[in-house]
Amino acid sequence: MAGINIPGVTDQYNTTETVEKLMQIERIPLNREQKTLETYKNQQDAWRSVNRKVTSLRDSVKSLYSFENPFNNKITSSTEENAITAEATRKATYESFKIDVIQPASADRFLSSELEADTKVPAGTYTYKIADKTVSMRWKGGSLQDFSSALNRRGGDTLKTRVIGASKGMKTFSIESQKTGAESKLIFEDDAKTFAESSGMIVRVKPKTIEFGNNRSEFRPSPSKPVEQQGLPAVSISKISVSEGKTIVPPRNGFSIDIPELAKENKNSHIQFSVQKTEVEDITEELNKVEERPVFPESGSVTFKDVTIFNSAVDASLPPLPSVRPAPIEQIKTDDVLFAVMSDGSERNIPLKGNLNDEIKIDLNLSDYKGISSIVLRNRNTGASYSVSPMTSLNPDENLGFIPQHPVTTADDAIIKYEGITLKRPENTIDDVIPEVTLNIHEKTEKTATISVKPDTEAAKDALIEFVGKYNQALSELNILSQNKPEIVEELDYLTEDEKKEYREKLGMFTADSSISNLKNSMISTAAAPYKFSDSAEISMLSQIGIATNATNYSGYTPSKLRGYLEIDEKKLDAELKKNLEDIKNIFGFDSDGDLIIDRGIGYQLDKQLTSYVQSGGIFSMKTSSLDSKIKASEQKISRLENQMNDKEADLKNKYGRMQGALNSLENQQTTIKNFSNRGNNN
């Protein structure tokens, strides 16, 4: 059985060892190629590693001069953070302003009376309306809790309900609108209204209204104001008229009407009416016509023979014309015609919002006009007439036909004072008062809140620290790959032992590659160079803000400082960020030629340099692609050599197996002859 060897039993001629020694010599080219392949792979890993570090540095650099740079970040502070906070966008201006929160916006939240724990909600159609949203549910009947759960699923972000334990064996049903604002009242319809009444949540009321302003005798002359132009008639009440339920106020006319005392007594009263504007012939055309003398014909004459007698000239005894003509009266056009007159005689403008040629609805909440005594319409226009509907005083809650019996909160607008101006908004998030600033209302302020918008120096500092860290990491990788000095690795005390071991294997791997040393030198020179973006700039270099290779000003010799690593003097950096934030932003990127494109600065220069290495098709990409080809060729060569080695080993084993078989056969024959001879001698 040639070729089959059992070590220690059949391999008495050491053929296996002989074959192995012969194969070791044959495998020398294979082993050499395998080491070459391993070198290629290690080099490729090294290129990929430095590519990651440099790419990370480039991303950090780009963020320091791009539109999203941290130097434009804004933060806000509030002296009354429990009541009002703010958020600022990057476009917000640095400023401080004062805000008083009179009241936050609220939503309707009603409670029922105490109900038995086993109360059943009857079957029916339950409809709830909040502003322009409607929630309607067909209910088959069941417990309070089941009804609450079903309504919550249907209500989504419009309304919310819950069942609250009131006392032993008793429950209270709560329903809450999820939309704030005076215009977002919770309205019950269909069986929802019936259940709300039966559970004691609401009670029916008859709306009480007071109507006035439908009779001319109620109007008084408006408070007089100086005449704007010579020759222009003063605003009077002489030509106003009441026709078909409307009060007509022609040009240069007006009126004042008192608020009924009963209306002023109810703090929730609203005065509602409508105003409409109509364009009419402008009165200045008639007023500007110049008076002229009439032209009389000649008095005539009579002639008899040679005698002519002339009549006396016509004498109309007209007054002389003025020597200087008056200046023409100019047209007046204004929409500021409606005013609230306060008890002290002062006036507040009531703005007319919308298209004045359409009917404008006015709703005056008397709580916004504390001390109001009358309403004035003063039509100063010369070419416009106004019609005003009768005025109605009412309580909007009562006008719904019911009022809540157990309200926790009622729907109302947020009211704030911004720099003394009273503003109302339906929500507690207000973004249309201060440009690029959003106000968040929480509670009523006890005292005036001061909101400040400031630069976010912490974000800028964090970005600079991140930049320095990534710069040093990239530079350390370049130093390790370009120099065969073990101390370079030992200086990096932030590395773990495993990382140090990995870096020791990379030492000097690309000593002969100029691209590594070129990149390292350009990074160091760029970080140390000055960038003067204007003649008045106080900051033009990183070293001026506490970032340099020797930022701590240590006078002793330290080899690591000679390798280009950056240090940070944190105290100096903090001080400069507070004092020269705009200058620091500009040294990382600025427009030098006025074309609105950044073309200078540390960030711009580093980004430009690093991009040529890490971009698709860049230097690092070419290095790894070149190694890809070498690795593929090496793997193919190794595969071919392995096949050859396998064939060679099989051939040697076969030959030595046959040889061992032949030797074994001869030995067996020798043993047989010897045994035969021994038997013959014995015989």
Side-chain angles (χ1 to χ4, degrees), residues 64-67 69-74 90 92-94 454-457 460 464 531-534 536-541 545 573-591 598 600-601:
L64 290 173
Y65 78 92
S66 67
F67 174 75
N69 72 78
F71 307 107
N72 287 336
N73 288 354
K74 309 294 193 305
R90 294 165 58 84
T93 57
Y94 301 133
K454 302 176 182 178
D456 190 352
T457 55
L464 289 171
Y531 296 89
K532 191 81 172 177
F533 58 90
S534 73
S536 60
E538 295 186 16
I539 301 294
S540 61
M541 299 177 67
I545 63 173
L573 178 60
D574 288 339
E576 294 300 332
L577 283 171
K578 290 180 180 179
K579 187 172 64 173
N580 292 310
L581 183 66
E582 191 66 21
D583 283 8
I584 296 172
K585 182 187 83 169
N586 285 327
I587 67 170
F588 279 94
F590 62 93
D591 171 22
I598 290 175
R600 289 288 307 280

Side-chain angles (χ1 to χ4, degrees), residues 508-527:
M509 184 177 285
F510 300 132
T511 304
D513 196 312
S514 62
S515 61
I516 292 290
S517 55
N518 289 341
L519 175 58
K520 181 179 69 172
N521 294 334
S522 65
M523 284 172 55
I524 294 173
S525 60
T526 299

